[in-house]
Amino acid sequence: MQVQIEDLNASAEEEAKLARLRLETAPDGSGSVLESTSFVSVGQVLEIYSVKRDADGNYLSNPEVSWTYNGDIGPLAISQNGRRATLTVTSEGMAQI
């Protein structure tokens, strides 16, 4: 799984402080980071959250982002506010989020 997300509401000041915008398994920064290559199993439902951290790795927010999905392993449902997506893995293969 490859990750590419974009913060839609970041100010110039926030962008200057921003070290990382990552995909994680919890919206409050307490979850695990989804690495650029992650393995998931058929039947797995993966809740994915956008998490913004500062240059020191401290949690800042769960921002609204624009999601892109390319793949055929199952549907990706994106929340209305753009802060969370749910991937339901229905088949083997590769995908990019």
Side-chain angles (χ1 to χ4, degrees):
M1 192 178 320
Q2 293 186 349
V3 177
Q4 179 180 358
I5 53 178
E6 173 186 352
D7 187 346
L8 297 179
N9 296 314
S11 68
E13 182 177 314
E14 285 179 319
E15 287 294 335
K17 293 180 185 177
L18 182 62
R20 291 206 163 139
L21 187 58
R22 305 187 295 189
L23 297 183
E24 299 189 12
T25 59
D28 60 3
S30 66
S32 301
V33 174
L34 293 174
E35 301 297 334
S36 60
T37 301
S38 297
F39 295 94
V40 293
S41 302
V42 173
Q44 186 174 355
V45 176
L46 188 60
E47 295 291 330
I48 307 166
Y49 300 88
S50 59
V51 173
K52 184 188 293 189
R53 294 185 179 275
D54 66 16
D56 296 320
N58 299 307
Y59 172 81
L60 295 175
S61 67
N62 170 226
E64 177 182 349
V65 297
S66 173
W67 298 78
T68 303
Y69 174 68
N70 294 306
D72 58 358
I73 63 172
L76 181 73
I78 300 167
S79 67
Q80 283 186 319
N81 64 13
R83 292 176 168 86
R84 175 181 53 85
T86 304
L87 175 64
T88 303
V89 182
T90 57
S91 63
E92 293 181 2
M94 296 180 65
Q96 293 180 323
I97 297 176

